[in-house]
Amino acid sequence: MNRRQFLAATTVLGLGIETGLVRAARSAEMPIRMRALYNKDGSFSDLAQSLEGQRITVDGFMAPPLKADIRFFVLTKKPLAVCPFCETEAEWPEDILAIYTKRSIEVVSYTRKILTRGLLELGAFQDPDTGFASRVRLTDAVYERA
C-alpha cells in the first residue's frame, strides 16, 4: 500500500465513523412513537428495553395537569380536553407516557403538539405525591412546542 492509498483508506474510514456517529446522534433526537415502546401483548418492546436509561425524544400532547404547581404531566398521543384521571366519562387514552420534569411545568394548550426529551424508565412506579401509577415514563425531562 502506498501513501496515497493509505490516505484514501483512512479518509474513507474516518468518514464512515463520523457518519455513524452523526447518524446515532440524529436517531437519539428523532421522536419515538409511544406505541413503539410496547409489543402487541403490552410487554415492553426490544426497542424500549434497548433504550432504557437513555435520553429519548417523544412527541405528543400535554393532558391537562392534575393540579397546579406540579413537576409531572401526562403526554398523550391524541389531544385530550379533560384530565383523563378526573372525568369518569372521559375515554382512557390508549397511549400515554408519564413525564417528570425538574421544574414546575408551564401548561401548554392541549391542542398544541410538544416534543419531550428525557431519560426512559421502564417498570412499575407509583408517584408518591399524586398516586399516579405508570409502567413507562421519562424523567429529568424537558419539553418544547413542536
Side-chain angles (χ1 to χ4, degrees):
M1 177 183 279
N2 65 31
R3 182 176 177 193
R4 182 174 289 163
Q5 290 170 326
F6 176 77
L7 288 174
T10 57
T11 300
V12 169
L13 179 62
L15 288 176
I17 291 170
E18 182 176 302
T19 302
L21 291 173
V22 169
R23 195 176 306 128
R26 270 196 209 126
S27 67
E29 292 188 16
M30 292 184 65
I32 295 171
R33 294 180 182 211
M34 284 184 233
R35 70 175 176 229
L37 299 174
Y38 296 97
N39 294 316
K40 289 184 179 183
D41 66 0
S43 63
F44 296 121
S45 68
D46 291 339
L47 175 65
Q49 292 177 26
S50 71
L51 293 173
E52 186 174 14
Q54 295 182 40
R55 188 165 286 278
I56 66 167
T57 302
V58 181
D59 64 358
F61 299 89
M62 182 184 287
L66 295 171
K67 62 182 182 176
D69 195 36
I70 194 167
R71 297 183 319 184
F72 156 79
F73 68 92
V74 175
L75 190 70
T76 62
K77 177 181 165 183
K78 300 179 215 172
L80 295 176
V82 295
C83 167
F85 317 106
C86 304
E87 293 286 325
T88 57
E89 300 297 319
E91 181 179 310
W92 189 266
E94 293 176 354
D95 297 317
I96 64 172
L97 186 61
I99 308 294
Y100 291 90
T101 62
K102 285 185 175 182
R103 298 185 178 107
S104 294
I105 64 167
E106 188 174 312
V107 177
V108 175
S109 171
Y110 72 92
T111 61
R112 185 80 190 241
K113 190 170 243 185
I114 61 174
L115 286 173
T116 307
R117 291 178 191 85
L119 298 174
L120 178 63
E121 288 187 3
L122 304 175
F125 174 77
Q126 187 165 7
D127 184 278
D129 296 329
T130 64
F132 179 75
S134 66
R135 293 186 58 227
V136 61
R137 68 212 139 271
L138 296 183
T139 60
D140 192 29
V142 295
Y143 60 95
E144 62 188 35
R145 290 176 176 94

